[in-house]
Amino acid sequence: MPKMAKAIDIAKPNYKFRDYGINLEPILTLEFNDPKVVYTIGNEQPVIIKNSGAVDPLLKWDLSYLEKHMGSQTQAVYSSSSHNFKFYDEHKPQQFGLSNIPFQPPHSCKQMTIKEFAKAFKGWKPGDDRLYLQNSLYSEGVNAKMLKDFQSINWGWFVQQKCLHGWGPLTSNLLLVSHPGCLTPAHYDEQNNIFAQLHGYKRFLLFPPMMMKCLYPYPIYHPHDRQSQVDFDSPDLSKFPRFNELKGYEAILGPGDLLYLPNYWWHHVETSSEGWDQCVSVNFWYKASPAKNIEFPLKGSQKMALSRNLEKLFIETLKNVDEIEEMWQAMVLGRYLQLGEEKKEEQLEDKTA
């Protein structure tokens, strides 16, 4: 049963992550040259890739190096009074023509130069707001030295994965710099992600797409779209009872490790609370493969996409949150929900017979 979170030691001393009491298995870990890497990615299953050397030119990218070689352009820096950095988009309701959606941003975002960020980051003391830089990398935002580092990545391998698996184009590279113990709560993305750890340690708790039944995502029109409503630190099981059934995988990344994260896979990401004074990562986001031939049964990612499209259709047609709720209930309550309960009872009778 999920319980209040507490810190636990992992394989290496002085690295600590929270324990949520969730049933977790270690994620598959493969060496870079193992042929199963391509097979696993092709099957849309997450995998840690060791000893790739693919991002070795970036392993020197600690905060001091970034401060020296990044330009004067401003970066998006999030500030939170807690360890929790939950993504939000305040303009999401307006995208659907909705208004009066109650929302209080859980933290603030401001633009800072890398020097301003480094000064605030290095001067941090207990009780201060935690800082988390999350900004896309652009060639005009770095000097020639840093640009050369980035060009020296093993791009051939990344392009090979894109071509082998039919992904769309690379959409962005997100630079992430955070204090120890910072947390990005459970969410999913609609793109494939190859995540590269450069400095410090990070842990991903990974859950297959259809674990959405245990993670209770916000409505698609909400500023927290694609995020779980459940607070892993203190889950409200009276409100979210199926969180008790959550099962998933654990992936712990150190410098040089890559993680393939398929689109629509839920991930709850945390930096080590001890052992390092900073955590630096870069991701590689690729558009998902365009649907060609639909095969049945549908994959979990396809079911998630279908669910989102149905929800969009309802919202764009009705344009009223109350009507949307009434329509969903009219469709499901006493029909599919009741049939589901009857099926469970039949399965239970078969087991006890």
Side-chain angles (χ1 to χ4, degrees):
M1 173 178 172
K3 52 192 177 185
M4 295 287 286
K6 61 181 180 180
I8 57 169
D9 292 311
I10 60 169
K12 290 180 177 289
N14 298 323
Y15 298 120
K16 286 191 175 182
F17 296 103
R18 292 172 179 82
D19 175 18
Y20 301 105
I22 298 170
N23 187 355
L24 299 170
E25 297 179 19
I27 201 67
L28 178 66
T29 300
L30 297 173
E31 291 291 315
F32 177 67
N33 293 321
D34 193 320
K36 291 196 288 289
V37 169
V38 172
Y39 174 82
T40 304
I41 294 176
N43 281 339
E44 298 182 10
Q45 297 296 310
V47 58
I48 295 175
I49 303 166
K50 291 279 190 181
N51 301 313
S52 72
V55 294
D56 280 3
L58 309 187
L59 295 184
K60 54 181 173 284
W61 283 18
D62 61 8
L63 185 53
S64 295
Y65 187 88
L66 296 174
E67 182 182 8
K68 183 177 180 181
H69 295 289
M70 291 186 76
S72 59
Q73 289 193 338
T74 57
Q75 315 289 323
V77 176
Y78 294 87
S79 175
S80 175
S81 59
S82 74
H83 59 274
N84 196 315
F85 289 82
K86 191 172 192 173
F87 177 81
Y88 65 91
D89 178 0
E90 288 185 279
H91 304 293
K92 194 74 176 185
Q94 287 74 30
Q95 293 174 17
F96 290 96
L98 300 174
S99 59
N100 301 320
I101 304 298
F103 180 70
Q104 179 65 42
H107 45 77
S108 62
C109 178
K110 56 185 174 181
Q111 296 292 316
M112 304 175 73
T113 66
I114 191 65
K115 291 188 181 299
E116 291 171 339
F117 171 72
K119 181 179 179 181
F121 191 100
K122 293 174 181 178
W124 182 88
K125 58 185 182 299
D128 291 348
D129 282 0
R130 292 175 183 266
L131 300 176
Y132 204 149
L133 184 150
Q134 302 182 27
N135 205 76
S136 294
L137 286 169
Y138 298 101
S139 58
E140 59 268 24
V142 300
N143 68 8
K145 172 68 174 171
M146 201 166 162
L147 182 60
K148 184 178 179 181
D149 293 341
F150 203 63
Q151 291 172 337
S152 300
I153 289 172
N154 183 358
W155 284 105
W157 182 81
F158 287 94
V159 172
Q160 181 187 48
Q161 303 313 306
K162 173 187 177 298
C163 295
L164 283 173
H165 307 297
W167 297 343
L170 176 71
T171 59
S172 69
N173 295 104
L174 196 64
L175 175 66
L176 304 156
V177 185
S178 70
H179 279 119
C182 287
L183 174 71
T184 305
H187 65 286
Y188 65 87
D189 299 307
E190 295 181 273
Q191 301 187 80
N192 291 301
N193 185 358
I194 298 178
F195 190 95
Q197 185 62 16
L198 307 182
H199 194 81
Y201 274 71
K202 231 169 205 180
R203 181 180 68 166
F204 284 68
L205 302 186
L206 302 166
F207 308 100
M210 292 314 293
M211 273 290 153
M212 68 179 291
K213 66 183 181 182
C214 301
L215 289 166
Y216 302 87
Y218 284 88
I220 201 169
Y221 60 79
H222 194 278
H224 283 316
D225 176 33
R226 298 184 293 104
Q227 318 293 306
S228 170
Q229 297 183 65
V230 185
D231 179 359
F232 278 34
D233 287 314
S234 182
D236 184 347
L237 295 180
S238 63
K239 189 174 181 180
F240 308 114
R242 279 195 161 182
F243 183 72
N244 199 31
E245 303 169 19
L246 185 64
K247 297 178 181 179
Y249 302 89
E250 180 182 57
I252 297 172
L253 306 182
D257 289 343
L258 302 179
L259 172 67
Y260 166 61
L261 184 57
N263 64 328
Y264 291 107
W265 269 72
W266 293 86
H267 45 292
H268 183 88
V269 190
E270 180 185 356
T271 62
S272 172
S273 61
E274 290 187 9
W276 297 75
D277 61 348
Q278 59 189 263
C279 188
V280 183
S281 318
V282 171
N283 72 10
F284 299 74
W285 261 328
Y286 287 88
K287 283 203 174 217
S289 309
K292 295 179 181 178
N293 300 316
I294 297 182
E295 299 180 1
F296 296 93
L298 295 178
K299 298 176 183 176
S301 59
Q302 293 172 317
K303 291 178 181 178
M304 287 279 283
L306 176 61
S307 172
R308 287 185 66 84
N309 287 333
L310 287 172
E311 199 172 349
K312 284 180 183 177
L313 177 63
F314 273 60
I315 296 167
E316 290 170 353
T317 303
L318 299 173
K319 297 188 182 301
N320 183 300
V321 173
D322 294 331
E323 286 190 44
I324 294 166
E325 183 177 342
E326 289 174 7
M327 181 67 80
W328 279 117
Q329 289 182 351
M331 287 179 61
V332 176
L333 291 178
R335 299 175 71 217
Y336 295 99
L337 199 62
Q338 183 175 330
L339 290 172
E341 293 302 319
E342 291 173 355
K343 186 176 180 180
K344 285 182 182 178
E345 290 177 6
E346 290 175 3
Q347 291 174 341
L348 183 61
E349 288 176 2
D350 290 342
K351 287 181 181 178
T352 56

